[in-house]
Amino acid sequence: MKTVGTEPARSSQTCGYQLSTNGWDSRASFCAEPKATGLYYCREHHEWVAADDPNGVVRMAPGNVKGR
């Protein structure tokens, strides 16, 4: 899995799921994989987020785009 140290734009086609928070080393990492077609995240992270909701729904703030 590719990662980046800065959050990708919500309007980009990059997943952007936050993998770690600013810890003792003050670094965060975000998934840099492409978004899956029709989803807000790559397939793996979409499934993680959907599993947290009892109905399997992924809710996103306005401005987030789905993968093409």
Side-chain angles (χ1 to χ4, degrees):
M1 174 185 316
K2 296 181 282 184
T3 62
V4 291
T6 56
E7 184 175 12
R10 293 178 180 193
S11 60
S12 75
Q13 289 296 305
T14 303
C15 175
Y17 184 85
Q18 188 168 359
L19 301 168
S20 65
T21 58
N22 293 341
W24 64 270
D25 61 357
S26 298
R27 295 184 186 170
S29 63
F30 300 87
C31 178
E33 295 293 328
K35 290 180 178 179
T37 303
L39 303 178
Y40 291 111
Y41 298 108
C42 66
R43 173 85 41 207
E44 177 182 6
H45 292 122
H46 171 82
E47 291 172 2
W48 286 6
V49 173
D52 284 341
D53 185 271
N55 299 315
V57 177
V58 175
R59 293 174 180 83
M60 296 297 286
N64 288 287
V65 298
K66 292 182 177 181
R68 296 186 234 149

